[in-house]
Amino acid sequence: MSIWWSLHLRREAASVPLARRLLLGTMETAGVDPDISYDLSVALSEACANAVEHGGDERPGAPSAEYRVTAYLDGEKCRIEVADSGPGFPSSRRGHRADLLPAHTSAENGRGLCLIEQLADHVHFRNRPGSGAVVSFDKILKWREGALLKVS
């Protein structure tokens, strides 16, 4: 059995906890280990916060007031994707961990993408054709005893 869902959310701060609660509820119901669920929910929160802050065209009247979150729980893995319609990642930020430069420890911003890298097993940053950034990340799941989706 597998579960997937997709949300189209407004680029507002209130959308971040909504996406996080939906993910946590899905994982709780499916029987995912709470530590894994927590890691994924923090990573999702960081990706959503990034889309809210940077994911739109700031020109007046530009149609970029939304972003999309898609989550797949399938067998042993969860994959989450957050896509926005902003300017995308600069070329120095696209790809994998080797391309990321962590923010200075005293910086107020810039640590979210590195945090996602620490919490997930596989992360990819890319730009969509046209405009927009996509953050996708995977994590191998651990299950509670008697879990609904547990792979035997």
Side-chain angles (χ1 to χ4, degrees):
M1 178 191 276
S2 63
I3 297 173
W4 75 271
W5 49 259
S6 185
L7 299 171
H8 291 262
L9 299 165
R10 293 177 72 74
R11 283 184 51 232
E12 298 173 354
S15 69
V16 177
L18 175 65
R20 182 176 176 148
R21 285 186 208 125
L22 182 59
L23 178 68
L24 285 169
T26 301
M27 296 188 136
E28 170 69 24
T29 301
V32 174
D33 177 84
D35 291 336
I36 299 295
S37 297
Y38 179 78
D39 286 353
L40 283 168
S41 72
V42 171
L44 174 62
S45 295
E46 292 296 332
C48 289
N50 194 59
V52 167
E53 185 171 346
H54 304 289
D57 187 340
E58 300 304 328
R59 292 175 298 170
S64 58
E66 296 182 349
Y67 67 101
R68 188 190 75 229
V69 176
T70 306
Y72 308 89
L73 278 79
D74 191 20
E76 301 177 348
K77 181 171 68 172
C78 177
R79 176 178 202 107
I80 297 173
E81 185 174 284
V82 177
D84 64 45
S85 56
F89 291 108
S91 60
S92 64
R93 282 272 196 202
R94 281 183 255 154
H96 301 283
R97 181 179 187 89
D99 297 325
L100 292 177
L101 299 172
H104 189 274
T105 55
S106 64
E108 290 187 29
N109 296 316
R111 291 186 293 274
L113 298 178
C114 291
L115 184 56
I116 295 168
E117 283 277 350
Q118 295 298 313
L119 295 169
D121 295 327
H122 178 263
V123 180
H124 189 72
F125 306 100
R126 66 182 171 87
N127 288 335
R128 294 189 312 174
S131 68
V134 179
V135 176
S136 59
F137 51 97
D138 301 339
K139 190 157 182 86
I140 301 298
L141 299 175
K142 294 179 186 171
W143 301 94
R144 295 188 325 258
E145 190 62 37
L148 293 175
L149 297 181
K150 186 174 183 177
V151 176
S152 300

